[in-house]
């Protein structure tokens, strides 16, 4: 519950600080005194967008701070998830700086506005006059029924399943589009692929072919030069090998004189061995050289084919052509495997539809069970509120489409008077009747949601007299289980509060200020008498005020 509220430098408020109690609290004040300012400040604590124009003195920062007692509301996991220090008496603070920048804190830890908004849903429900009109909104109607039916976790499960379902549908559409495009290019891609595959390309083959082509195209020059080189090595008188062997004989005679000469002898021996091997390999290579015009033509054709493919595909080497083959194989495969891929994803879609059917059926069953109970409770409260003949009808039909919260379609209908026809609730009820219906709904929800605090902003619109008194009794009863704060113009409701605050405007030499004070017993009598008698406070009005308080 909200235990204290401090507002500084906000709109007409310079500095106020109030302490709040459990139970039913009343806030009264003349029109324009600043009740809406209080709600605006509370809205900032709950994550509403900050407005720089709301700062009273633009040279100072605006600070709004609320203390909340949360020990009974099992919020430890929320604080842990948001990486916040959990305190049973938690402080929320919102600041608007002169620069226009807004800051938010929970227990002095800076937080994002979204975190405030999340925490706010667990702490306070602010019912504005505008919200009464939402009774005719399907989303609001669903929210009421689902809250009473305790469908929250099931709704989250359904939304997760629906998200997966939509992903599959999108994937199916994307695949169909890809396959449509691939089908148009299939013949051309297949032609290119076959042309490349028939070339039997392998990494490094271009270099091998170019080397073989040079050999076959220069047989005579190779033979002539190899033969000459071999002769120069093998001639008995001037051949290189014979000369080196003579050198070896000379060095062998002096090798014994020192390690240096021994090294000369060993090195010349190595040279002779290397030249012997080289001569043998050159002889073998020359023996294998022969003119082969057919092979030369075949190698030349293969080279020209590769060169043409490189030019056609703008590739610098065979490796890039191999990458193009892989890409074309994938594109062709998409088309050739189209049916099996579509069938696979269609199967997944059908399986997910079964999952959604199961969850949406549970939602429907839960709603169907709670609707008659909700109607009975609502009609009973409306009877107490002066609508004895009001009848509520809720049509719940399950369709085939998967909607955001199941497959159900929901509509509330009201027959406000005896013998009247059912009409959509927003068309069948007057402003006062809508207020009473909303109070009935809120009182039922309060028992289910167990929110710490609910604030009503003029829930009494369009009612008076005995009906207002009944409203006050319902609000007081709600206050037995939670903190209820009501902003009201009606003394019949104001008299039911356990505590009573008055908002008023006061002029000083500089500016007008909004202030708030808590009224004691005698002050409450005077305030109620003023509400009863207008601008005058007669003895009869005071007597009536005392009777309302008693």
């Amino acid at each position: 519950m909200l235990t204290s509220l401090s507002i500084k430098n906000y709109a007409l408020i310079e500095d106020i600080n109030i302490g709040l109690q459990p139970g039913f609290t009343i806030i009264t004040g003349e029109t324009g005194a600043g009740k809406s300012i209080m709600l605006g400040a509370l809205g900032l604590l709950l994550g509403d967008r900050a407005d720089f124009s709301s700062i009273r003195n633009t040279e100072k920062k605006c600070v709004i701070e609320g203390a909340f007692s949360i020990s009974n509301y099992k919020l430890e996991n929320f604080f842990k998830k948001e990486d916040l220090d959990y305190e049973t008496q938690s402080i929320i603070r919102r600041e608007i700086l002169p620069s226009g920048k807004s800051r938010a804190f929970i227990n002095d830890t800076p937080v994002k506005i979204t975190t405030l908004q999340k925490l706010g849903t667990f702490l306070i429900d602010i019912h504005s006059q505008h919200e009464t009109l939402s009774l005719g909104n399907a989303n609001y109607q669903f929210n009421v029924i689902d809250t009473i039916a305790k469908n929250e976790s099931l709704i989250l499960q359904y939304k997760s399943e629906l998200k997966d379902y939509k992903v599959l549908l999108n994937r199916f559409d994307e695949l169909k589009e890809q396959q449509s495009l691939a089908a148009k290019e299939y013949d051309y891609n297949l032609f290119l692929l076959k042309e490349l595959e028939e070339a039997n390309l392998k990494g490094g083959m271009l270099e091998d072919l170019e080397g073989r082509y040079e050999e076959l195209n220069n047989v005579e020059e190779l033979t002539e030069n190899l033969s000459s080189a071999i002769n120069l090595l093998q001639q008995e008188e001037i051949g290189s090998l014979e000369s080196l062997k003579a050198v070896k004989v000379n060095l062998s005679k002096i090798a014994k004189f020192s390690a240096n000469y021994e090294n000369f002898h060993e090195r010349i021996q190595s040279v002779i061995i290397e030249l012997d091997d080289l001569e043998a390999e050159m002889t073998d290579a020359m023996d294998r050289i022969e003119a082969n015009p057919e092979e030369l033509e075949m190698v030349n054709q293969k080279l020209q084919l590769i060169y043409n493919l490189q030019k056609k595909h703008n590739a610098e080497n065979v490796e890039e052509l191999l990458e193009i083959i892989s890409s074309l194989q994938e594109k062709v495969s998409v088309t050739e495997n189209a049916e099996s891929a579509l069938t696979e994803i269609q199967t997944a879609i059908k399986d997910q539809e079964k999952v959604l059917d199961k969850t949406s059926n549970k939602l429907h069953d839960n709603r169907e069970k709670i609707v008659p109970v909700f109607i009975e409770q609502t009609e009973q409260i409306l009877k107490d509120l002066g609508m004895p003949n009001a009848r509520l009808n809720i049509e719940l039909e399950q369709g085939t489409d998967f909607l955001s919260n199941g497959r159900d379609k929901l509509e509330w209908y009201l027959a406000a008077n005896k013998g009247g026809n059912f009409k959509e609730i927003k068309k069948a009820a007057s402003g006062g009747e809508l207020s009473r219906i909303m109070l009935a709904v809120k009182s039922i929800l309060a028992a289910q949601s167990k929110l710490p605090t609910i604030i009503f902003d003029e829930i009494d619109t369009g009612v008076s007299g005995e009906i207002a008194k009944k409203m006050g009794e319902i609000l007081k009863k709600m206050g037995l289980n939670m903190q209820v704060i009501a902003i009201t113009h009606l003394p019949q409701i104001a008299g039911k509060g356990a505590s009573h605050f008055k908002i008023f405007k006061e002029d000083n030499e500089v500016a007008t200020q909004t202030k708030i004070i808590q009224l004691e017993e005698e002050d409450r009598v005077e305030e109620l008498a003023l509400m009863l008698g207008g601008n005058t406070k007669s003895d009869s009005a005071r007597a009536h005020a005392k009777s309302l308080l008693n």
Side-chain angles (χ1 to χ4, degrees):
M1 58 168 272
L2 179 64
T3 59
S4 69
L5 178 65
S6 170
I7 305 172
K8 296 180 181 180
N9 195 32
Y10 179 72
L12 295 179
I13 297 174
E14 182 176 342
D15 187 357
I16 64 173
N17 196 329
I18 60 173
L20 295 156
Q21 301 299 321
F24 183 29
T25 296
I26 292 295
I27 297 177
T28 60
E30 294 180 1
T31 301
K35 298 184 292 295
S36 60
I37 295 175
M38 290 277 294
L39 290 178
L42 275 169
L44 286 174
L45 281 185
L46 302 179
D48 286 354
R49 186 176 68 86
D51 185 355
F52 178 69
S53 64
S54 299
I55 296 182
R56 176 181 174 82
N57 183 344
T58 56
E59 294 180 358
K60 300 179 181 179
K61 68 179 178 181
C62 164
V63 181
I64 299 161
E65 187 172 279
F68 294 83
S69 178
I70 61 173
S71 57
N72 296 328
Y73 304 107
K74 300 179 180 178
L75 293 175
E76 290 89 344
N77 288 337
F78 174 86
F79 277 74
K80 183 177 180 181
K81 183 179 179 181
E82 298 293 333
D83 195 24
L84 296 169
D85 294 331
Y86 175 79
E87 302 288 347
T88 56
Q89 188 76 8
S90 286
I91 307 295
I92 298 177
R93 187 171 77 256
R94 188 80 180 273
E95 298 179 354
I96 307 174
L97 305 181
S99 63
K101 184 179 179 182
S102 168
R103 301 188 301 186
F105 303 86
I106 297 177
N107 293 332
D108 287 328
T109 299
V111 296
K112 295 179 180 179
I113 297 303
T114 52
T115 304
L116 276 192
Q117 292 169 345
K118 291 177 187 175
L119 180 57
T121 60
F122 298 112
L123 299 179
I124 297 180
D125 174 16
I126 298 180
H127 171 82
S128 64
Q129 297 178 57
H130 174 74
E131 189 183 349
T132 300
L133 301 177
S134 64
L135 276 172
N137 181 279
N139 289 332
Y140 186 85
Q141 294 173 358
F142 266 114
N143 184 55
V144 169
I145 298 301
D146 285 328
T147 299
I148 299 171
K150 303 186 185 303
N151 276 341
E152 289 87 349
S153 60
L154 207 54
I155 287 286
L156 291 175
Q157 177 185 330
Y158 174 84
K159 287 182 181 296
S160 176
E161 294 167 355
L162 183 63
K163 183 179 178 181
D164 294 339
Y165 178 64
K166 288 181 177 179
V167 168
L168 288 172
L169 291 178
N170 290 335
R171 178 61 186 142
F172 180 76
D173 291 339
E174 289 171 1
L175 190 59
K176 283 186 69 176
E177 185 176 352
Q178 289 174 4
Q179 290 174 349
S180 176
L181 293 173
K184 294 176 183 178
E185 301 174 357
Y186 174 74
D187 291 338
Y188 180 61
N189 288 335
L190 185 61
F191 167 75
L192 294 176
L193 178 61
K194 287 184 176 180
E195 185 180 49
L196 285 166
E197 287 180 337
E198 287 173 358
N200 292 318
L201 300 174
K202 295 179 181 178
M205 71 179 302
L206 181 60
E207 293 78 7
D208 293 341
L209 287 170
E210 287 175 337
R212 184 58 178 157
Y213 176 82
E214 291 299 323
E215 287 183 5
L216 292 169
N217 198 41
N218 296 281
V219 170
E220 292 182 3
E221 187 175 352
L222 286 169
T223 302
E224 179 182 341
N225 285 283
L226 279 173
S227 177
S228 177
I230 291 169
N231 285 334
L232 288 171
L233 286 172
Q234 291 180 341
Q235 284 183 10
E236 293 184 3
E237 295 181 0
I238 62 170
S240 299
L241 279 171
E242 292 301 319
S243 298
L244 289 172
K245 288 175 182 178
V247 173
K248 175 186 174 185
V249 172
N250 292 133
L251 291 176
S252 67
K253 294 177 180 179
I254 62 173
K256 61 185 178 180
F257 295 120
S258 74
N260 191 35
Y261 299 135
E262 177 65 25
N263 181 45
F264 291 160
H265 179 259
E266 290 175 355
R267 289 170 66 186
I268 199 68
Q269 177 66 24
S270 299
V271 171
I272 291 171
I273 292 172
E274 179 64 23
L275 282 176
D276 274 335
D277 290 341
L278 179 60
E279 182 268 335
E281 290 179 14
M282 290 167 62
T283 300
D284 182 60
M286 190 180 70
D287 291 342
R288 286 187 283 105
I289 293 174
E290 62 176 327
N292 190 337
E294 292 81 7
E295 185 183 358
L296 176 62
E297 178 62 23
M298 184 177 66
V299 170
N300 183 52
Q301 289 178 358
K302 187 73 171 180
L303 282 172
Q304 292 305 315
L305 173 61
I306 294 175
Y307 293 148
N308 290 336
L309 289 172
Q310 284 181 302
K311 183 178 180 180
K312 184 173 184 177
H313 294 278
N314 195 27
E316 292 186 3
N317 48 52
V318 171
E319 284 68 24
E320 288 189 13
L321 287 176
L322 291 171
E323 290 177 4
I324 292 170
I325 288 175
S326 177
S327 176
L328 287 170
Q329 287 173 336
E330 185 176 345
K331 290 178 180 179
V332 169
S333 175
V334 168
T335 304
E336 292 178 343
N337 298 324
E339 289 304 319
S340 61
L342 284 173
T343 300
E344 182 178 345
I345 199 166
Q346 281 176 320
T347 301
I349 288 172
K350 289 180 180 178
D351 289 342
Q352 190 64 17
E353 285 176 347
K354 292 177 183 177
V355 172
L356 282 169
D357 276 334
K358 185 177 179 181
T359 307
S360 58
N361 286 339
K362 287 181 181 178
L363 284 169
H364 177 79
D365 292 343
N366 290 351
R367 289 164 179 164
E368 202 169 44
K369 290 175 185 175
I370 208 65
V371 161
V373 177
F374 174 69
I375 290 174
E376 183 181 355
Q377 291 177 341
T378 304
E379 289 180 346
Q380 181 57 51
I381 296 172
L382 290 178
K383 185 181 295 184
D384 295 338
L385 290 173
M387 296 177 67
N389 298 312
R391 290 174 297 144
L392 182 66
N393 181 38
I394 296 178
E395 290 189 0
L396 180 71
E397 295 182 358
Q398 192 173 41
T400 56
D401 296 332
F402 295 112
L403 306 174
S404 62
N405 56 2
R407 289 190 289 132
D408 291 335
K409 294 180 181 179
L410 182 72
E411 186 67 64
W412 291 12
Y413 295 92
L414 178 71
N417 302 303
K418 191 172 184 179
N421 296 323
F422 281 106
K423 297 179 182 178
E424 292 180 22
I425 198 165
K426 58 186 174 184
K427 297 178 181 179
S430 65
E433 289 168 339
L434 281 175
S435 295
R436 282 178 270 181
I437 295 168
M438 178 57 82
L439 180 58
V441 170
K442 287 285 185 177
S443 64
I444 295 170
L445 285 176
Q448 296 290 328
S449 59
K450 297 179 181 177
L451 271 173
T453 302
I454 186 168
I455 299 175
F456 290 102
D457 180 18
E458 299 186 10
I459 188 68
D460 50 26
T461 299
V463 300
S464 60
E466 189 63 24
I467 303 305
K469 182 181 177 183
K470 291 288 187 181
M471 271 192 165
E473 290 172 354
I474 290 174
L475 291 167
K476 183 177 180 179
K477 185 177 179 181
M478 290 173 64
L480 296 175
N481 299 313
M482 63 189 303
Q483 184 183 49
V484 179
I485 301 172
I487 297 172
T488 182
H489 288 295
L490 299 180
Q492 293 88 345
I493 292 178
K496 299 296 181 182
S499 58
H500 187 158
F501 290 87
K502 179 179 181 178
I503 295 179
F504 60 97
K505 286 196 294 190
E506 185 176 82
D507 295 332
N508 58 28
E509 295 178 358
V510 180
T512 300
Q513 293 185 25
T514 289
K515 295 190 173 183
I516 184 168
I517 57 172
Q518 184 169 5
L519 302 179
E520 300 302 331
E521 187 72 18
E522 288 302 317
D523 295 326
R524 290 190 71 183
V525 171
E526 295 299 312
E527 176 68 7
L528 292 184
L530 190 62
M531 295 171 73
L532 286 163
N535 292 326
T536 61
K537 293 182 284 188
S538 63
D539 290 339
S540 61
R542 288 187 178 89
H544 190 183
K546 289 180 180 180
S547 69
L548 290 176
L549 287 171
N550 292 329

